[in-house]
Amino acid sequence: MQYSKKVLEHFTRPHNQGALKNASGVGMVGNPVCGDLMKIYIKVKKDKKKGDIISDIKFETLGCASAIATSSMVTDLAKGKTVEDAMKITRNDVADALDGLPPIKMHCSNLADEALHEAIKDYRNSLIKN
Amino acid sequence: MQKNIYLDYAATTPVDKEVLREMLPYFGEKFGNAMSIHSFGQEALQAVDEARGKIATFFNATPSEIIFTSGATESNNITIKGVLKSYYSKPKNAKIKPHIITSAIEHHCILDSCKAVEQEKLAEISYIKPGKDGVVKISDINNAIKTNTILISVMYVNNEIGTVQPIEKIGKLVKKINAQKKETDFKILFHTDATQAINYCDCDTKKIGVDLLSMSAHKIYGPKGVGILYVKKGTAIKKIQDGGDQEYKMRAGTHNVPGIVGAGKAIELVQKNGQKDAKKIQFLRDYLIEKVLREIPHTMLNGSKIKRSPNNANFTFRDVEGEGLLLSLDMEGVAGSTGSACSSGALSPSHVLMAIGLKAEQAHGSLRLTLGKYTTKQEINTAVQKLKTVVVRLRKISGSVLEDYYSNK
């Protein structure tokens, strides 16, 4: 099993790592049995022209190197995007941006986009409630 | 650049220089096939016989009880499958399905061999769970014995958590039960996978009371690709590989002469220096365990602290996953091992750590560090320092996700 240089970069120096206070939405996926737990926090700002923009995003991840690298990458991909566009980010987008993942690690990229989508859903649900 | 620190001696060991020196001529000038009649063959055969003699001495056995194989995996496969083959070679046995007892913490080559014969409906298997300390209880073995039990296979030292199993006691139990049996009853054979034990434990086969014992040379500073199966004289077992008449017709295939020579020398060195090395290694290992538990918070030692091989330490760090830990340590120049599923490509974490009652995340967060005769105190100090940094970094990344997961449930 060999990780790409990009995976190792994001694993050793992850971007957007930490928690967000007063997040607009939070998504958490995974379970301790598989070994990976991922939590993504988003801050959404309303922009008159573009719509709802993810102005800030952070993650916390308990997991293997590829789980950490995919968390880092998905936050990079989503930052500055509208929530609509962020919803369109797929596991393949995450894996491709990392120059690929070993086949047995592809499920990690799945978790990353799921966590992001869950955070966006959480944000949308909060709008309905309010 | 600083030299990398190797703390994975349970995975494999470097070949000792003295071992290599003895092996080298058998690749080139003394290349003969030990089964050939001519002088080239005789020269090779003599080397094989010498190695066999050294190994027999170590195990308090006779040379004809030592079978060379390709490794402990093969020795273990021959044990499970060869004992069954012998059993079914007797027509009167065909109607009674035999029973095998093993432990739930065996190496995969025993567990998967057992599962294979179970699936083929050749045997029923009992997998005995150890206690929380990682040691199998004699009473559990005793309770599992049935009239159709033909084999008990329990490892001597567990490869992941280093726990030492009560082999001598099981040997005595088997002897006692067999003595009570009638001439026509099934006798129980006792096998131990001693792969991780050779360097540190008493392997006098008479004393520990085994009929079969497996090992690999590469765990004792010998070469890879050579193993040994001790088969007590008169043991009901049959070969499982067809071909030549090598190894008293128990294991076909041209002798790996350089490897066998290496295995013989490696055993000789264990016999000579083993106790001295073990003492030094245990001192450093105890120092390592104490230092890690003291300097890194939320850390626990897996497996018994006392009934433990002198070279093994196995920790769990809360809020850390093992594969990331291993990779980070490797980048810092420290080589270890983990029971996390993510490192092996398996779907579930270590069966050994789960069997001693760890939660999945605790098994995923495990780190095995195994020492050897070349380990120094300086290396332990550096390794712990790097470990501390890496654990802090990974804990920062995981934040409070685990706690959040359980509080949201």
Side-chain angles (χ1 to χ4, degrees):
Chain A
M1 195 182 72
Q2 193 78 48
Y3 283 126
S4 72
K5 226 175 146 185
K6 222 162 200 167
V7 170
L8 294 178
E9 271 171 31
H10 278 263
F11 168 59
T12 39
R13 277 181 289 278
H15 306 166
N16 308 308
Q17 195 274 308
L20 262 186
K21 275 181 191 161
N22 308 317
S24 319
V26 179
M28 181 148 145
V29 296
N31 66 70
V33 177
C34 87
D36 294 327
L37 277 171
M38 238 176 241
K39 195 169 184 179
I40 285 184
Y41 304 77
I42 55 168
K43 187 104 191 159
V44 179
K45 268 201 182 135
K46 301 232 178 237
D47 184 288
K48 274 181 192 162
K49 272 188 196 164
K50 295 179 197 157
D52 290 359
I53 304 277
I54 297 178
S55 62
D56 202 0
I57 180 165
K58 287 211 182 291
F59 81 88
E60 288 180 314
T61 292
L62 169 62
C64 60
S66 71
I68 291 169
T70 51
S71 308
S72 169
M73 183 50 85
V74 86
T75 59
D76 271 1
L77 292 178
K79 203 168 184 173
K81 281 205 168 69
T82 63
V83 290
E84 280 76 25
D85 285 344
M87 275 307 270
K88 288 178 198 151
I89 295 171
T90 66
R91 67 176 88 170
N92 286 332
D93 295 337
V94 180
D96 289 349
L98 287 166
D99 296 336
L101 284 171
I104 58 158
K105 294 290 183 180
M106 276 307 285
H107 76 106
C108 294
S109 59
N110 195 11
L111 284 178
D113 75 274
E114 267 180 35
L116 171 67
H117 297 163
E118 285 300 316
I120 294 168
K121 280 184 208 159
D122 183 47
Y123 161 68
R124 285 177 171 166
N125 285 340
S126 70
L127 291 183
I128 297 164
K129 275 185 215 156
N130 295 334
Chain B
M1 209 186 93
Q2 204 189 3
K3 223 176 116 209
N4 284 351
I5 298 171
Y6 186 76
L7 290 173
D8 203 12
Y9 282 86
T12 194
T13 58
V15 174
D16 188 294
K17 284 195 180 72
E18 282 188 58
V19 171
L20 182 64
R21 202 182 308 131
E22 292 222 354
M23 289 171 68
L24 283 175
Y26 294 92
F27 286 102
E29 54 193 282
K30 302 178 179 180
F31 66 92
N33 184 330
M35 295 296 274
S36 301
I37 299 292
H38 47 61
S39 60
F40 294 87
Q42 285 172 28
E43 191 175 41
L45 182 61
Q46 197 192 337
V48 169
D49 284 344
E50 265 175 42
R52 201 189 302 279
K54 288 174 188 171
I55 292 159
T57 306
F58 181 82
F59 288 114
N60 189 16
T62 57
S64 62
E65 292 174 317
I66 303 300
I67 305 298
F68 289 111
T69 67
S70 62
T73 291
E74 189 189 344
S75 299
N76 286 341
N77 270 269
I78 296 176
T79 296
I80 303 292
K81 294 164 189 174
V83 164
L84 281 176
K85 206 170 166 188
S86 167
Y87 176 86
Y88 282 111
S89 70
K90 298 181 186 100
K92 69 176 172 72
N93 290 345
K95 279 181 192 160
I96 308 159
K97 201 193 236 187
H99 175 236
I100 295 173
I101 298 169
T102 189
S103 85
I105 58 169
E106 296 297 306
H107 190 276
H108 282 293
C109 55
I110 284 285
L111 289 178
D112 290 358
S113 291
C114 285
K115 281 176 197 152
V117 297
E118 206 175 13
Q119 265 170 10
E120 289 168 40
K121 301 191 172 17
L122 294 173
E124 51 170 319
I125 318 278
S126 298
Y127 302 92
I128 307 298
K129 267 197 159 193
K132 279 201 182 311
D133 62 353
V135 180
V136 172
K137 289 188 189 74
I138 285 285
S139 55
D140 289 341
I141 301 269
N142 192 23
N143 293 340
I145 293 173
K146 304 201 273 189
T147 51
N148 60 333
T149 303
I150 60 162
L151 176 66
I152 297 176
S153 177
V154 176
M155 68 195 336
Y156 207 149
V157 169
N158 179 268
N159 49 314
E160 290 188 40
I161 52 175
T163 48
V164 181
Q165 306 304 319
I167 297 307
E168 200 178 330
K169 285 183 186 157
I170 300 173
K172 282 197 177 114
L173 173 74
V174 170
K175 206 170 183 181
K176 193 183 95 190
I177 289 173
N178 279 342
Q180 291 162 356
K181 286 186 179 241
K182 278 184 274 173
E183 195 66 22
T184 48
D185 288 346
F186 299 117
K187 292 280 188 299
I188 303 170
L189 294 175
F190 179 34
H191 166 255
T192 188
D193 174 1
T195 306
Q196 298 286 349
I198 306 295
N199 285 323
Y200 307 109
C201 301
D202 190 346
C203 288
D204 178 333
T205 52
K206 303 280 185 301
K207 194 169 161 201
I208 60 177
V210 291
D211 300 290
L212 297 142
L213 178 148
S214 307
M215 66 159 282
S216 259
H218 76 99
K219 309 281 192 189
I220 61 164
Y221 311 92
K224 292 165 184 66
V226 198
I228 290 154
L229 178 63
Y230 157 79
V231 184
K232 190 178 160 188
K233 195 167 179 269
T235 299
I237 186 166
K238 282 202 181 300
K239 65 172 178 178
I240 60 168
Q241 176 166 299
D242 297 308
D245 287 343
Q246 291 91 350
E247 298 303 292
Y248 311 100
K249 299 188 182 176
M250 259 307 291
R251 199 271 186 176
T254 300
H255 292 98
N256 171 4
V257 180
I260 289 169
V261 168
K265 185 65 188 176
I267 280 261
E268 190 183 70
L269 290 179
V270 173
Q271 186 136 34
K272 202 171 121 197
N273 306 323
Q275 282 189 336
K276 196 181 75 202
D277 288 341
K279 220 172 167 182
K280 185 198 115 184
I281 290 165
Q282 175 147 11
F283 174 78
L284 289 178
R285 193 280 313 270
D286 289 346
Y287 174 71
L288 166 72
I289 290 178
E290 200 253 335
K291 200 170 166 67
V292 167
L293 294 180
R294 182 161 39 93
E295 296 186 15
I296 305 177
H298 308 298
T299 300
M300 64 177 195
L301 180 74
N302 298 315
S304 168
K305 203 172 175 182
I306 312 147
K307 293 174 186 167
R308 190 178 198 106
S309 169
N311 72 326
N312 174 294
N314 189 311
F315 304 102
T316 285
F317 303 97
R318 203 178 75 191
D319 297 323
V320 171
E321 189 280 331
E323 189 245 31
L325 177 63
L326 218 60
L327 204 61
S328 302
L329 277 176
D330 188 48
M331 288 170 177
E332 298 285 336
V334 179
S337 166
T338 176
S340 167
C342 290
S343 71
S344 62
L347 289 171
S348 48
S350 150
H351 66 286
V352 175
L353 297 176
M354 297 304 280
I356 62 169
L358 262 65
K359 286 189 197 162
E361 65 266 29
Q362 292 174 320
H364 282 296
S366 72
L367 174 72
R368 179 187 76 177
L369 297 176
T370 44
L371 289 66
K373 66 180 182 183
Y374 303 122
T375 306
T376 64
K377 192 168 181 183
Q378 176 65 42
E379 285 183 323
I380 299 289
N381 283 331
T382 311
V384 175
Q385 190 202 335
K386 305 276 188 199
L387 181 60
K388 260 161 82 175
T389 319
V390 167
V391 168
V392 167
R393 185 180 91 80
L394 292 173
R395 278 181 176 163
K396 197 174 148 239
I397 294 175
S398 67
S400 57
V401 274
L402 192 63
E403 209 184 316
D404 294 351
Y405 176 83
Y406 282 113
S407 58
N408 286 346
K409 256 174 97 175

